Amino acid sequence: MKRLTYKTLVSEIQELPGAGRLVLPLLQVGSSPLEACVGVGDEVARGQCIGRADTPESAFLHSPLAGKVRALSRAVTHEGTSAGTVEIEGDAAGEVETLQPIQQDAAELSAETVRDRLREAGVSPLGGNGKNAEYASLRPDEEPPEILMVLCADEEPLLQTQRHVLREAPEKVIEGATLFQKAVGAKRLVFAVSGDQTNLVSGETLVVEKKYPLRHPEILMARMTGRYRLTEGRPRKDVHLINAETAMAACRAVREGRPVLEKTVTVGQEGGLSVVVRVPLGTLFSQVFENMGLKAEDGDRLFTGGPLRGVAQFDPEGPVTKGTDGLFLQKGRGVFCYEDVACIGCGQCVKVCPMKIPVNMMTRNCEFGRIEEALDYDLDSCIECGLCAYVCTSRRPLLQYIQFAKKEQHKAELARQSA
Ligand code: SF4
Ligand code: SF4
């Protein structure tokens, strides 16, 4: 098994200069697509709302630049979803248009006031590479969870984003977490931290080990509830999750009235040092690498997120979104190709699966769209950690088979409901 070598420079978060041109997908994690509320040729202020939806959980989108709207178009985001986009040209030097700061104690505020503010300021779950269905939602009709958990360590190896955010502003993370707890109505607030972070937070903590996938949201939720299998009920109902960056954004949205305009991202190149940077939303990947003096060569692979749950990108002109936690260049010689080849029955995938799924049997059915059979082999309990694909002797695209089957299952479920 190949080991990838990336080392992280532990330092301050570096502010990267934004480009004069940004592309912003009209999509937020965990909410409906947004409608553009600007037109081509419009002048926009920095911080002005440019996209919104009227569903109660949809956070708005704001312009990180003061400038002009150049185009309204469509693109596929790095999370693999097609979305409308707003392209803006201008500069990020101007004053930010803020909302009225709210100063009352969290205890004196209503959940509705906090929820409305988070929505208006664009606070949707940040990070998780857009795969955070398990993250907290601001839907007012959802039953309040027992626990709001704040993940202050990063889910995957190589990523250092959340660690750096907590180190930078622990008091804002704590304050934002308290406000988010108010918004979702959770009875308990728990900070999930690694052993060396316990002195940065106060209140109830859960110490999480470094070994992957022990910081995976589903594993953490299961650890809090003691329920690991679907048949025992999804822990999602009792534990909602946000990360340190979302908590900090919540604090700034309420206390400073500041909308979400940037994303913190771990950026690195194989063999070099990774650095944690903050960039305006909508900055193109190519621009981030150029600003850091990194250069992709023919055959190199660019991926967003971490090495196990991340997604290889076909377009270096893709934009940083609220879901982007990591951006990495992997050397071409280190890239191996997955293929639809036969399973040799070595059992490595079964051995490594944290959910004890018969992965070889389950994925054989996923591959050919036999969803009912895949469900019989526990497809529903898969947390998409990617470990099975990482160790597969035949290099079969196991995670892609699983994700394909889950999408098919979801489509079939929607069809059943509308029949
Ligand atoms: S991705 Fe693979 S290893 Fe991870 S839970 Fe699913 S089946 Fe198991
Ligand atoms: S690791 Fe790959 S080849 Fe081995 S049993 Fe699992 S799917 Fe088959």
Side-chain angles (χ1 to χ4, degrees):
M1 193 188 310
K2 182 179 161 50
R3 283 191 182 280
L4 305 180
T5 49
Y6 298 78
K7 289 189 184 129
T8 308
L9 178 69
V10 179
S11 66
E12 306 291 307
I13 296 172
Q14 298 181 16
E15 303 280 339
L16 268 201
R21 171 178 166 262
L22 303 177
V23 177
L24 295 124
L26 288 157
L27 204 64
Q28 307 274 31
V29 177
S31 77
S32 325
L34 309 177
E35 291 285 334
C37 45
V38 286
V40 177
D42 285 359
E43 297 282 348
V44 287
R46 191 168 171 227
Q48 181 181 327
C49 177
I50 57 169
R52 54 186 296 160
D54 287 330
T55 44
E57 75 282 11
S58 295
F60 298 175
L61 183 68
H62 304 79
S63 174
L65 299 181
K68 201 172 233 184
V69 176
R70 288 293 174 203
L72 296 178
S73 180
R74 281 199 84 76
V76 176
T77 67
H78 70 78
E79 297 95 348
T81 314
S82 169
T85 55
V86 181
E87 185 181 324
I88 297 176
E89 262 178 23
D91 72 79
E95 282 284 295
V96 174
E97 204 171 76
T98 53
L99 302 157
Q100 186 66 33
I102 302 172
Q103 296 304 354
Q104 289 113 296
D105 269 6
E108 292 167 25
L109 293 167
S110 71
E112 194 184 2
T113 305
V114 184
R115 264 199 314 264
D116 286 351
R117 168 52 56 94
L118 298 183
R119 229 182 122 226
E120 249 186 302
V123 182
S124 63
L126 299 168
N129 218 26
K131 287 198 189 117
N132 25 24
E134 56 280 270
Y135 278 66
S137 127
L138 291 173
R139 288 181 65 96
D141 55 349
E142 284 218 349
E143 211 180 303
E146 173 74 20
I147 298 166
L148 177 72
M149 182 183 281
V150 185
L151 181 53
C152 300
D154 293 83
E155 285 177 35
E156 287 195 49
L158 305 191
L159 296 176
Q160 291 281 326
T161 306
Q162 303 308 324
R163 282 186 72 76
H164 275 69
V165 169
L166 180 69
R167 214 163 64 99
E168 180 187 58
E171 64 302 326
K172 286 191 178 157
V173 171
I174 296 167
E175 173 78 354
T178 312
L179 289 160
F180 218 105
Q181 180 189 13
K182 182 80 192 195
V184 297
K187 293 193 191 81
R188 284 164 61 197
L189 179 62
V190 178
F191 292 92
V193 290
S194 50
D196 59 348
Q197 292 177 307
T198 47
N199 60 334
L200 296 176
V201 293
S202 52
E204 195 177 345
T205 55
L206 175 76
V207 175
V208 292
E209 288 166 51
K210 219 172 176 183
K211 193 177 166 203
Y212 186 79
L214 297 180
R215 295 169 178 176
H216 189 294
E218 294 259 14
I219 299 266
L220 293 174
M221 290 171 175
R223 206 175 138 190
M224 291 307 291
T225 59
R227 297 199 306 272
Y228 284 81
R229 317 300 295 179
L230 184 71
T231 45
E232 297 167 316
R234 273 272 189 239
R236 167 78 172 81
K237 191 163 65 62
D238 299 315
V239 188
H240 281 194
L241 200 119
I242 58 171
N243 58 27
E245 194 177 16
T246 310
M248 186 171 83
C251 173
R252 299 194 74 188
V254 176
R255 300 305 184 207
E256 301 166 30
R258 189 183 163 94
V260 179
L261 304 180
E262 300 102 9
K263 180 72 188 74
T264 315
V265 187
T266 310
V267 184
Q269 186 168 30
E270 190 184 350
L273 272 182
S274 300
V275 178
V276 180
V277 299
R278 189 165 283 131
V279 292
L281 292 169
T283 306
L284 305 183
F285 304 148
S286 57
Q287 189 72 52
V288 176
F289 288 127
E290 192 183 317
N291 284 347
M292 294 185 59
L294 301 177
K295 200 168 174 327
E297 284 165 11
D298 258 4
D300 286 357
R301 173 160 63 181
L302 190 172
F303 65 93
T304 55
L308 287 132
R309 300 179 86 204
V311 182
Q313 299 298 313
F314 60 86
D315 186 4
E317 301 305 300
V320 168
T321 68
K322 292 180 187 178
T324 319
D325 260 352
L327 201 50
F328 294 96
L329 278 176
Q330 187 182 358
K331 294 266 180 233
R333 55 175 168 67
V335 175
F336 52 76
C337 292
Y338 288 93
E339 281 179 88
D340 294 318
V341 291
C343 166
I344 58 166
C346 67
Q348 289 301 323
C349 53
V350 181
K351 207 163 131 192
V352 81
C353 176
M355 305 309 281
K356 311 273 179 269
I357 296 169
V359 189
N360 49 353
M361 298 307 294
M362 185 259 280
T363 50
R364 280 177 212 183
N365 286 296
C366 293
E367 180 181 0
F368 296 106
R370 292 197 298 252
I371 311 302
E372 288 307 318
E373 290 83 348
L375 287 166
D376 285 344
Y377 283 110
D378 228 1
L379 169 66
D380 254 345
S381 294
C382 167
I383 59 168
E384 297 182 35
C385 70
L387 276 174
C388 53
Y390 191 67
V391 301
C392 177
T393 315
S394 295
R395 291 185 175 163
R396 284 162 53 76
L398 301 181
L399 188 57
Q400 282 76 11
Y401 292 153
I402 292 167
Q403 288 169 340
F404 163 72
K406 286 191 178 182
K407 279 201 178 119
E408 291 299 302
Q409 183 199 3
H410 183 63
K411 272 200 289 191
E413 189 54 47
L414 290 181
R416 254 196 303 275
Q417 283 168 12
S418 61

